[in-house]
Amino acid sequence: MQVKQRLVLCYFSLLAIINAYTIRYCFDFSLNRIVRESKALSKAKTLPTEKPVPRRNRNAVRTTARPRAKPRQRAGRDQGQRNKQSLATPVITISNSSDVWTKEVQILVSASFYAGYMLTHIPGGRLAERYGGKWILGASILLSAILTLLTPTIVRHGGPGALIALRLLIGFCEGPTFPAVSALLAQWVPESERGLLCSCVLSGGEIGVTFVHLVNGLALNEEDWAMAFYVVGGGAMLWFVGFVFVCYSKPDASPFIQNSERDYIKSQVSVSLLTEGETNAADDEAAPWSNMLMNAPIWALVAANMQHDWNQQETTQELQKLLQELHSKSSTLWTELETSLQATAPHLWSWLATLTSGSLSDYLIANGILNRTQTRCLMSWLVFACSSMYLVYDKQQCSRIWNVVALGAYYAGIKLLPLDMSPNFAGTLMGISNGLGSLPGLLLPLLQQLESEYAIVGSIRVALWLICAGYISADVQSYNQQRRGNR
């Protein structure tokens, strides 16, 4: 039986999202151990070395009695000897000294990833649309994996300054991931299967967060925290090898696809998606930036992405705190397995809820119960209601249930809108929405401080969800045909 190539493409795209999230959060989950190791090395290397004291020969016979020195004179000689010894003994320092790993530096290192990450979203989307998503996605994950493998060496020999530059570069390389995946899905996934397959792929970050937590948790009983970086970076490089051999940017370019599946995909993808010949003729056309940026549904999509990333950052911090507590108690993931499973369960349940919501969306559209825009709005209102309840029950056990449902509806509704609104510019729209939506990752400490000091911030977040649910649209926008009209 021939394997359906669109499922193969979705499988490798899902793994790409998982790898992207493990690379993103591997450092954050290891930061506490990195700082502790640096401080321990600093203390060990700054202590002066003492000269060994020779043992007295017990068999030696004292032949002459040495007169006892006066206390004042002896004290003076001892003080002089100590001064000479302190001058002769050098003090060794290292670049990762404890005084440079301040809280502000740690925040700066973590935020530097998002500074680079936001810069390459839109360029990555445009490149994927013009040259195909395969090599843009492959290069993004491969370069990020190589830099991840270099992270332990940079940490131990370069210091925080070099690490900030490295994390900035990793974010810069990883930025095109989501836009390139969106460009691939627009070419490969039929509209009737978009809810299930695309939401399954785009929600892979929930699996990635769980996996990187488990990898770092298992590394707690190892002397070397760098093992997590080697596992994550090595796994991403193995993914790249398989991806470039079996996946292609478009069905027409794949040598493995059967003619029946190719014809089915062409007949089922959006009727507004340009054909192969039209795409080649319009490669040099500029994107309709003014029409895009003046489009209200795009800004509703951006606001929704910001809200989602804010929630995801906060839930991920809970897993980071759990690892810090385990390490401070000299415990391991196995001894606190029940606690770890309870902490990671919401992420896995969110991914499973996404599959359910995606299947429901496809069913509602296929049977004519709701049209595409109505279905996406239904999921958006569900996100709004559940997110509001999550904020109301914040820090309580029942809040996790609302968060799970909210995430499941988010990936099956709002996250799919770039593919609905403009199949031809799905990469660019994902670059705009996901790139600007990553802003909370850059400003998270400030946002959390504002939320703790001003209760109105929580009300503003709820109001933004309400606006997002009211203004989104899954209709194909007018600028999607810009390239066809300019031929």
Side-chain angles (χ1 to χ4, degrees):
M1 180 178 179
Q2 184 74 19
V3 178
K4 296 179 179 179
Q5 291 303 305
R6 66 181 182 276
L7 298 182
V8 174
L9 186 280
C10 289
Y11 173 73
F12 275 93
S13 299
L14 171 62
L15 292 181
I17 300 297
I18 293 174
N19 279 311
Y21 270 77
T22 56
I23 291 172
R24 180 192 306 189
Y25 287 112
C26 187
F27 174 80
D28 294 329
F29 280 78
S30 303
L31 179 58
N32 185 57
R33 299 180 66 197
I34 291 174
V35 174
R36 289 194 178 190
E37 180 189 87
S38 300
K39 291 183 178 180
L41 289 175
S42 176
K43 291 179 181 180
K45 292 189 176 184
T46 53
L47 291 176
T49 57
E50 296 183 359
K51 295 182 179 180
V53 180
R55 294 183 178 180
R56 171 183 283 181
N57 188 357
R58 297 181 179 178
N59 297 328
V61 180
R62 185 180 297 175
T63 56
T64 58
R66 188 170 55 184
R68 180 176 299 178
K70 296 181 179 180
R72 181 176 299 177
Q73 294 176 348
R74 183 174 181 179
R77 287 197 301 268
D78 292 344
Q79 182 66 30
Q81 291 175 359
R82 283 195 297 269
N83 292 337
K84 291 180 180 179
Q85 183 179 1
S86 63
L87 293 174
T89 305
V91 177
I92 304 174
T93 58
I94 58 175
S95 59
N96 286 339
S97 58
S98 58
D99 58 340
V100 299
W101 281 104
T102 60
K103 189 65 176 179
E104 291 75 15
V105 170
Q106 295 178 40
I107 293 176
L108 185 59
V109 173
S110 298
S112 60
F113 171 89
Y114 294 95
Y117 185 68
M118 295 174 60
L119 291 176
T120 51
H121 263 71
I122 297 177
R126 289 296 295 133
L127 290 174
E129 290 162 356
R130 294 187 61 179
Y131 303 107
K134 173 182 177 178
W135 291 110
I136 302 301
L137 177 61
S140 175
I141 300 297
L142 177 63
L143 294 175
S144 301
I146 294 174
L147 295 174
T148 299
L149 293 173
L150 295 176
T151 299
T153 303
I154 298 298
V155 169
R156 288 167 173 165
H157 299 283
L163 185 57
I164 290 174
L166 178 68
R167 291 294 296 173
L168 182 70
L169 188 57
I170 292 177
F172 189 86
C173 294
E174 193 176 304
T177 300
F178 270 96
V181 168
S182 297
L184 288 172
L185 296 178
Q187 295 287 339
W188 278 91
V189 178
E191 280 189 341
S192 59
E193 302 174 5
R194 183 177 294 169
L196 176 60
L197 294 182
C198 294
S199 62
C200 172
V201 171
L202 296 174
S203 62
E206 304 301 323
I207 302 178
V209 171
T210 303
F211 180 76
V212 74
H213 168 79
L214 295 177
V215 169
N216 281 273
L218 294 175
L220 284 176
N221 57 351
E222 298 289 338
E223 294 295 332
D224 192 1
W225 50 263
M227 185 191 74
F229 289 88
Y230 299 142
V231 171
V232 169
M237 296 189 72
L238 290 177
W239 168 88
F240 174 80
V241 174
F243 175 74
V244 297
F245 277 107
V246 301
C247 293
Y248 292 83
S249 296
K250 299 176 181 178
D252 288 332
S254 175
F256 306 112
I257 191 173
Q258 290 184 335
N259 293 330
S260 58
E261 184 183 6
R262 182 185 294 110
D263 295 338
Y264 169 74
I265 293 175
K266 285 186 175 182
S267 65
Q268 293 294 321
V269 295
S270 175
V271 294
S272 57
L273 182 67
L274 296 181
T275 63
E276 183 75 17
E278 291 172 326
T279 302
N280 290 335
D283 273 344
D284 295 330
E285 295 289 345
W289 297 111
S290 59
N291 292 336
M292 284 184 178
L293 297 179
M294 296 298 293
N295 188 234
I298 285 186
W299 294 106
L301 181 58
V302 169
N305 275 272
M306 287 184 179
Q307 294 285 354
H308 166 262
D309 276 33
W310 192 341
N311 289 340
Q312 189 178 60
Q313 290 286 335
E314 291 178 339
T315 55
T316 305
Q317 282 185 342
E318 296 179 4
L319 298 182
Q320 298 175 19
K321 292 178 181 178
L322 175 60
L323 288 182
Q324 293 177 10
E325 293 175 0
L326 293 178
H327 189 250
S328 62
K329 296 188 298 185
S330 298
S331 184
T332 64
L333 186 67
W334 296 114
T335 57
E336 302 287 345
L337 185 59
E338 182 178 357
T339 303
S340 297
L341 291 178
Q342 290 178 353
T344 56
H347 294 278
L348 293 178
W349 282 114
S350 297
W351 185 73
L352 294 176
T354 298
L355 302 184
T356 303
S357 302
S359 300
L360 176 61
S361 298
D362 289 338
Y363 176 80
L364 294 175
I365 296 172
N367 290 274
I369 301 174
L370 297 174
N371 60 33
R372 194 171 301 277
T373 294
Q374 291 171 341
T375 302
R376 300 294 187 249
C377 286
L378 173 64
M379 294 297 166
S380 301
W381 282 106
L382 185 59
V383 174
F384 162 70
C386 295
S387 298
S388 300
M389 297 302 294
Y390 173 73
L391 293 174
V392 170
Y393 292 101
D394 189 24
K395 308 304 179 183
Q396 299 183 26
Q397 189 68 23
C398 60
S399 67
R400 293 185 176 183
I401 300 175
W402 295 110
N403 192 40
V404 166
V405 179
L407 288 175
Y410 169 81
Y411 288 112
I414 296 174
K415 200 68 173 179
L416 303 182
L417 290 176
L419 295 166
D420 296 326
M421 294 167 60
S422 179
N424 294 323
F425 295 103
T428 301
L429 290 187
M430 182 63 76
I432 295 173
S433 60
N434 205 68
L436 295 178
S438 302
L439 189 62
L442 186 64
L443 304 175
L444 186 62
L446 176 61
L447 295 176
Q448 288 180 328
Q449 182 180 356
L450 291 176
E451 189 174 22
S452 62
E453 295 179 355
Y454 303 99
I456 194 175
V457 176
S459 301
I460 293 175
R461 294 182 64 178
V462 174
L464 286 176
W465 274 122
L466 181 62
I467 295 173
C468 297
Y471 279 92
I472 67 167
S473 173
D475 296 333
V476 177
Q477 303 298 302
S478 59
Y479 51 77
N480 180 69
Q481 302 299 325
Q482 175 100 1
R483 290 162 66 180
R484 179 176 290 180
N486 289 345
R487 280 177 48 207

